[in-house]
Amino acid sequence: ADYVNVDVFYATNRSPDAAFDSRPAADRFTATNAGKLTYGQARVSIPKSHVAGELESPRWYLLEFEEDPARHVVLQDVRRLPEGAFFGALQSRVRDAGDSSAFVFVHGFNVSYRDAARRTAQLAYDLRFDGAPVFYSWPSQASLTGYFTDEETMARTVPLIEGFLADMADRSGARNLYVIGHSMGTRGVTRALRNLVARRPDLRGRFRGIILAAPDIDAKVFREQLAPAMHLASGRVTLYASSEDLALKASRQVNRGPRAGDSSEGVMLVDGIDTIDVSGVDQSILAHSYFMESDQVMGDIRQMLRGNLPAAERKPLQTVKLREGVFWKLLPP
């Protein structure tokens, strides 16, 4: 009575643990690249006391040392499904949705399978999403020291993400199909979609919306090589950026180039893409996970998903006009 269950779908190229069925739910997938996809469903509990944007976990300073579904977002179960059964269950979920919708979430660097599942459920719950929530979990090392390994893994994962997005377009049954990428996950999303619309012209415009949150992508590469393909894939592309994102500032130093999601030296302006500057809305130390942790950003995404509204029609975005173009500002509370 103190929590509700949220069932999410997943595809992953993580290797299943050898003792998959006997392992705790959080440990059933490893950080090793399997080179092929495993499909299934995960069940996540959300406490009824949940605060929008929070990913409630045990806090040692409150003497909480074990997960409690009445207080925390908990990964309860993970099961594998054959590919055909996966898409059959997904189609059934989409048919039950009022607007025939689904989203695919691709997580970023330093994220475990467990937290990818928990975040996806939290997103679906906080967005009050009526369709099928799906996440793609690539084998991040879930470690701050694993950045370069994660970069290499993501590069190798792009073809698998591309194939999965093609299958989602062809086999999900969703009329309204959204793709959401965060941080390093946007590299996989943008490169996969670029390849997909080149290989499959019939899928141009197939995606209802593409959301790129805090993209950890070289700004020049994004502008010149990736942005045009995003516009081909969807008529509604939204990029969220912040001047206070310390994770992207660190990435800039490591990669020796500005990142598309860092607005500290200017907002990314590209024709066909709505850029939203959210500087100031995230009060966390890194200010990097605002699209999942800020109720304001969640509210903006909710408007986009429900009405397919462009930034110019969403409240309370403030239009900022420059000589080079227009972007929008989400004012801090």
Side-chain angles (χ1 to χ4, degrees):
D2 297 325
Y3 62 89
V4 297
N5 288 321
V6 178
D7 292 327
V8 297
F9 296 85
Y10 72 84
T12 182
N13 57 314
R14 294 176 182 269
S15 294
D17 189 90
F20 185 93
D21 293 328
S22 61
R23 298 285 287 168
D27 300 326
R28 292 182 182 174
F29 284 103
T30 72
T32 302
N33 189 350
K36 62 181 181 179
L37 293 185
T38 298
Y39 305 87
Q41 286 183 289
R43 172 161 289 181
V44 178
S45 61
I46 309 279
K48 289 187 176 178
S49 60
H50 170 72
V51 176
E54 294 287 333
L55 191 66
E56 290 90 350
S57 302
R59 293 164 290 186
W60 63 268
Y61 54 85
L62 294 180
L63 302 181
E64 297 175 344
F65 301 109
E66 294 184 355
E67 292 181 320
D68 179 356
R71 297 182 179 182
H72 310 127
V73 178
V74 181
L75 175 59
Q76 298 282 2
D77 189 34
V78 177
R79 64 189 183 109
R80 291 179 287 189
L81 290 172
E83 182 178 344
F86 170 84
F87 281 104
L90 181 62
Q91 290 170 15
S92 178
R93 178 72 171 270
V94 167
R95 281 196 301 269
D96 291 341
D99 59 354
S100 183
S101 62
F103 74 67
V104 179
F105 170 53
V106 182
H107 63 77
F109 152 72
N110 188 24
V111 175
S112 64
Y113 174 89
R114 166 182 173 268
D115 283 345
R118 294 168 70 230
R119 275 298 188 192
T120 306
Q122 177 235 318
L123 275 172
Y125 187 85
D126 288 349
L127 290 171
R128 299 190 285 274
F129 189 72
D130 186 42
V134 184
F135 70 100
Y136 186 102
S137 185
W138 53 280
S140 164
Q141 298 300 298
S143 166
L144 288 174
T145 60
Y147 186 85
F148 295 110
T149 300
D150 277 9
E151 282 193 315
E152 295 173 0
T153 299
M154 173 50 75
R156 292 196 297 270
T157 300
V158 168
L160 292 170
I161 297 176
E162 178 189 343
F164 182 63
L165 291 179
D167 280 343
M168 285 295 297
D170 293 334
R171 304 169 65 184
S172 68
R175 291 194 305 271
N176 298 314
L177 180 57
Y178 303 90
V179 183
I180 305 171
H182 178 233
S183 190
M184 193 180 288
T186 62
R187 298 190 197 179
V189 166
T190 54
R191 286 163 173 77
L193 288 173
R194 177 192 60 186
N195 298 344
L196 191 57
V197 296
R199 182 172 61 85
R200 294 272 309 272
D202 59 302
L203 293 183
R204 294 180 181 182
R206 171 66 177 86
F207 300 90
R208 178 77 161 178
I210 299 169
I211 298 172
L212 306 174
D216 184 8
I217 304 173
D218 181 273
K220 183 178 180 180
V221 169
F222 178 78
R223 182 190 304 278
E224 297 179 359
Q225 301 179 23
L226 300 171
M230 297 308 97
H231 188 50
L232 287 176
S234 174
R236 180 78 64 240
V237 184
T238 302
L239 186 155
Y240 290 99
S242 171
S243 63
E244 300 173 339
D245 190 326
L246 294 185
L248 291 189
K249 292 183 188 300
S251 176
R252 172 178 181 152
Q253 296 300 316
V254 168
N255 290 288
R256 300 182 181 181
R259 319 314 287 165
D262 178 10
S263 61
S264 58
E265 294 188 6
V267 175
M268 172 68 65
L269 299 177
V270 182
D271 289 342
I273 293 179
D274 290 343
T275 299
I276 317 297
D277 184 10
V278 298
S279 303
V281 304
D282 189 340
Q283 303 303 314
S284 66
I285 295 175
L286 291 179
H288 184 58
S289 298
Y290 46 78
F291 96 102
M292 299 175 286
E293 297 178 353
S294 165
D295 196 37
Q296 278 187 290
V297 180
M298 283 282 200
D300 186 58
I301 295 175
R302 199 177 298 123
Q303 289 185 68
M304 189 192 324
L305 297 186
R306 288 186 174 179
N308 197 35
L309 296 176
E313 298 179 19
R314 301 200 301 267
K315 307 291 184 183
L317 295 180
Q318 183 181 76
T319 304
V320 181
K321 296 182 180 180
L322 303 177
R323 183 171 57 186
E324 299 84 3
V326 176
F327 70 94
W328 288 265
K329 176 77 176 174
L330 185 60
L331 299 178

